Amino acid sequence: MPPGTPRPVDNLDDDDYPAYTMGRAAEMLGTTPAFLRALGEHRLITPLRSQGGHRRYSRYQLRIAARARELVDQGTPIEAACRIIILEDQLEEAQRINERLRAESRQTQSKSSA
């Protein structure tokens, strides 16, 4: 293998590696390929494409799709479910950034008071 090329086993631990075909992903989620296509149309997940043009999903994308499925199963329209998940993700990211900035601020304050 050329230097810098990930070993195949490294991909097993990679949440972003597009390991699952649409059929397998739908089977794992207990849904239909049409549901996965709809999630793509609403820009919740964007599967990678194989060289042959087939959709491939990562474990991370399957977790997002599973959350969407939960909301839809509870009666939430798919458009709303996708928007809810996007907003939840944005909120989580904002909270991470806020916590990092607070930690940096505490470090700066402790250095200046020392």
Side-chain angles (χ1 to χ4, degrees):
M1 276 189 295
T5 303
R7 297 176 318 147
V9 262
D10 293 340
N11 293 333
L12 297 175
D13 295 327
D14 185 354
D15 264 1
D16 295 318
Y17 182 71
Y20 304 98
T21 63
M22 177 180 275
R24 180 70 178 125
E27 179 183 318
M28 291 170 68
L29 295 170
T31 189
T32 64
F35 179 78
L36 292 172
R37 282 192 294 275
L39 296 180
E41 290 167 12
H42 293 291
R43 295 190 173 109
L44 181 62
I45 56 176
T46 304
L48 292 173
R49 298 282 182 150
S50 69
Q51 288 182 345
H54 300 283
R55 290 174 179 88
R56 305 282 295 191
Y57 296 89
S58 68
R59 288 190 309 218
Y60 174 73
Q61 290 172 323
L62 294 183
R63 284 194 299 273
I64 292 171
R67 173 74 175 121
R69 167 111 197 259
E70 288 174 13
L71 291 171
V72 169
D73 286 351
Q74 293 170 4
T76 307
I78 194 166
E79 300 85 7
C82 291
R83 187 67 183 140
I84 288 167
I85 294 166
I86 290 167
L87 290 170
E88 286 174 343
D89 188 54
Q90 290 172 345
L91 176 60
E92 186 178 309
E93 179 64 16
Q95 289 172 330
R96 275 195 301 270
I97 291 168
N98 196 12
E99 183 53 39
R100 188 189 80 234
L101 292 174
R102 282 187 192 144
E104 289 172 4
S105 176
R106 285 191 296 268
Q107 288 176 348
T108 302
Q109 289 173 356
S110 67
K111 287 180 183 177
S112 64
S113 63

